[in-house]
Amino acid sequence: MKYIGSLLLLILFIYNPLSAQRIHVMSYNIHHGANKQEVNTLKEIGLFIKASGADLVGLQEVDSMCNRSGNEDQMKKLAEITGMHYAFVRHFAYDGGAYGLGILSRYPISDVKNDRITSLPKGTEKKSLALLSAKISLPGKKEIIFSTVHFALDQPTRITQSLETISYLKRGLPVILTGDLNSEPGQQEILQLEEGHANIGLEGVNVLTYPDDKPVKRIDYIFVSRDDLKKVASSVVNSNIHHSDHLPLMAEVVLKK
C-alpha cells in the first residue's frame, strides 16, 4: 500500500499542470487588423491566435471603434473568436475611437494598468504613449505581470521609454514583456531591457519580423524576467502568416516554481 501511495503521488506530480509553469507567449503587431493592402484581416488574426495555442498574447496597433477599421471593438472581437480574457488601453483618441494596445490571456486578468511612457514625436511638446500591463493568475495560484508596449521611431525617445518600462514593471512578480520596440538587437534601449530580462529567441534562426513579406529586421520582442526564467523550450517567427505588416513572434517558456 505504501508503494502504491508513493506511485500515485508521483503520477500526480508528473501530470499535475500546477507543478509546471510552461507558457506559450505571442507578440504581434496587428496593424489595426489589416494586412499591408489595408484589407481587413481581424477575423483571420483571431483564428490564427486560437489555432496557435498561445496562452498570453501581446498586441500592438489595436483599434477600438475607429472609422478606418469598421467601428469595431477589436479586442472584444478577438476575445470572442479565441475564447480568451482580454484588456485594452489607449495611446490616444483616434479616428472616432481609440488607438492602443491589447492583451489576450487564457487565464484570468486583474489589476490592468495603463502606465504612460514618454513620447516626443514632433516639436518640444511632451506627450505619452501607453504601457499596458496586467496581473495574470496562472494555474497553481502563481501570479505574473504580463505586459505589451510599442516604442517610438526615434532612438533617444526609445532609450527613455525603455528605462521607464523597466521601472513600471517592478511590481514584485515575474514579468513577461512583449512589444514592437522599433529597435534592432544590440541597440542601447534593448541592452537596457536585457540587463534584467532574457531576450527570447535572440539566438534563433529566422528571427526577422518586419516587414511580413520580405523581412529585413527584427523589431518585435518577448522578454522574461531573468531570475524567473527556467528555460526557453522553443521560439519561432511565423513567416507564413501575412495578416499584418509584421510577423508574429511566438515562444514557449518555462518559469521557475
Side-chain angles (χ1 to χ4, degrees), residues 169-202:
L169 295 180
K170 289 180 179 178
R171 292 165 61 182
L173 290 172
V175 170
I176 298 177
L177 170 67
T178 61
D180 173 359
L181 304 189
N182 277 312
S183 178
E184 296 185 64
Q187 295 189 289
Q188 182 177 339
E189 54 273 31
I190 302 300
L191 296 177
Q192 288 171 170
L193 287 166
E194 289 177 346
E195 289 180 9
H197 303 83
N199 188 346
I200 307 302
L202 185 61

Side-chain angles (χ1 to χ4, degrees), residues 19 21 38 47 64 67 73 91 112 151 160 174 190 244 246 253:
S19 67
Q21 299 295 341
E38 293 297 335
L47 292 173
S64 177
N67 295 321
D73 184 335
H91 292 306
V112 176
F151 282 179
T160 297
I190 302 300
S244 168
H246 285 242
V253 300

